[in-house]
Amino acid sequence: MRPDVPREYQTSAMPVTGSLTTNTIMWRVCAALLPGALLSVWFFGLGVVMNLVLVLVMATACEAACLKARGKPAMACLRDGSTVVTALILTLCMPPSMSVGILALAVCGAVVLAKHLYGGLGHNIFNPAMVGYALALVSFPDAMASWPGLDGMSGATPLTTFRYREGLSVAELWNAANGFGVLGAAGWEWVNVAYLAGGLLLWRMHLIAWRVPLAMLGTLTLLALIFYDGGSSASAGSPAYHLFSAGTMLAAFFVLTDPVTHPATRRSQLVFGALAGIVIFAVRAWGNYPDGIAFAVLLANAATPFLNRVARTHRDSHDQVTG
Amino acid sequence: MSELALILIGALLVNNFVLAQFLGLCPFMGMTRGYDTALAMGLATTFVLTLSATLCHALFHLLLVPLSLEWLRIVVFIAVVACVVQLTEIYLRSLSPLLHRLLGIYLPLITTNCAVLGVALIVIGANFTWLQTLVFAIGAAGGFTLVMVLFGAIRERLEGADVPKPFSGAPIALITAGIMSLGFLGFAGLAS
């Protein structure tokens, strides 16, 4: 049992036994993120490292300040590694070489707004990294969309190019812009494969509730299949494109699986993942924003207490609290 | 048909009355301490909103326009909303005294819920047909109930959270509403 989480929100994905502390889990999550992070640096340049250093420093400073202000033991809490995971996920969503101001806004949103105002680790309703990211995204949409192309020039993300391709069919777009690879967007596809591998590792180690990513990726695939028309000019993209572009795998295995912000029972975890998948596809296919991952995570998080509540009311004997 | 679907999605999510247009905030903050009251308030408002919007629409086009009394619409609509609320109150008192007591002062306050009057006025401004009005009202009311219920459950959970003293209660609820609103921003453009 994690002492800092109310009993009814404990899931077995949390360190129930004493053998695994929050600290150990967080470092394992970091390790699982590492391949994707390294590939991000490989494809998007040293700007990613610069972001990471800045975000880590600012997040640690913010965390320490908040803990001090709240009269908690700062060193002991800092060592749990949760700040590092938040900083890492936040950085991996951000375009490289972001301005310090935008990074600071995102870090404040994540650490102060989404985490400490709610009472710190284990009490947050929303995933801190996604609150910070969404805040930066709606405040500075242009800066947040300028990813470097593979030719080294800065430009729109492949998702944006795909969304606003003005009548080109998918095959034409793939040939015209060299921002696309075999599965999805060039570079992104391998980063996503790395996140998938890391996520499967976490699954093997029983650190995540596997129903959440399964439901999210499954729903996304299903919707992409239903609306797939062979790649015409109005196509919303193939399932492979949706699965291996932008932060799909990162969100599925590392963001949505944050055990305090997803529901506790099996069935509600499936609903939770499916909800996120639906929102991601709807925003990508029909919305103004090129990607909907941050919004999907926030909305699914907002639904978590409701899903828990419904599950508690209709709990039948087979639907035990699970991970 | 697809036009009606767009109106529904638009009112339900994209232009959600609470989280995108910031209408109906008083019950949103006042009635969401618990999940059950939030749900009850959502359903009561749904009933009042749908009925009054369609009634107002009919009254406007069958009575006010022929008499060229369009300028009287705000007064007339308020009267219609008040009548519908009164009906709901009488009905609820006999059907479920417990719910009636739970909703307390907030039930008559539906009369002053700006979302209710807002829907009635928006459908006139947008020149909706009667069917479009019905769909729009259902969407608006559904969106209102949706966020009421989600927010009610979140606030129940917040009760157990270790929120810093200056932020407990209304402040953290408003911050939560802000983050939910951030999430709803993602729907922008969905219904166009």
Side-chain angles (χ1 to χ4, degrees), chain B residues 158-173:
Chain B
L158 284 178
E159 296 278 300
D162 181 23
V163 178
K165 199 105 191 274
F167 290 95
S168 65
I172 197 70

Side-chain angles (χ1 to χ4, degrees), chain A residues 5 93 193 241 251:
Chain A
V5 179
C93 304
V193 169
Y241 165 77

Side-chain angles (χ1 to χ4, degrees), chain A residues 105 126 130-141 163-164 279-280 282-284 286-300 302, chain B residues 9-10 12-22 146-147 176-192:
Chain A
L105 172 80
F126 302 97
M130 285 301 112
V131 173
Y133 176 77
L135 212 56
L137 180 65
V138 298
S139 312
F140 303 96
R163 180 81 179 83
Y164 298 104
V279 177
I280 291 173
V283 174
R284 281 183 182 176
W286 304 295
N288 286 350
Y289 285 94
D291 200 2
I293 283 182
F295 303 116
V297 173
L298 292 186
L299 290 169
Chain B
I9 300 283
L12 189 74
L13 301 173
V14 185
N15 299 316
N16 186 284
F17 269 72
V18 180
L19 292 178
Q21 309 204 35
F22 310 115
L146 175 74
V147 296
T176 308
I179 299 179
M180 284 172 81
S181 189
L182 198 59
F184 269 73
L185 266 182
F187 291 124
L190 221 57
S192 57

Side-chain angles (χ1 to χ4, degrees), chain A residues 72-134:
Chain A
K72 307 267 170 188
M75 276 324 286
C77 292
L78 270 175
R79 237 176 314 180
D80 67 19
S82 64
T83 321
V84 179
V85 172
T86 302
L88 205 52
I89 292 173
L90 184 59
T91 311
L92 293 174
C93 304
M94 293 283 209
S97 311
M98 282 298 275
S99 81
V100 186
I102 300 180
L103 288 180
L105 172 80
V107 167
C108 280
V111 176
V112 183
L113 199 67
K115 190 174 172 191
H116 279 290
L117 291 192
Y118 284 93
L121 182 67
H123 294 291
N124 49 315
I125 304 282
F126 302 97
N127 183 286
M130 285 301 112
V131 173
Y133 176 77

Side-chain angles (χ1 to χ4, degrees), chain A residues 213-224 270 273-278 281:
Chain A
L214 189 73
M216 187 274 231
L217 297 173
T219 312
L220 192 59
T221 312
L222 195 69
L223 285 172
L270 289 175
L275 186 68
I278 292 170
F281 186 80

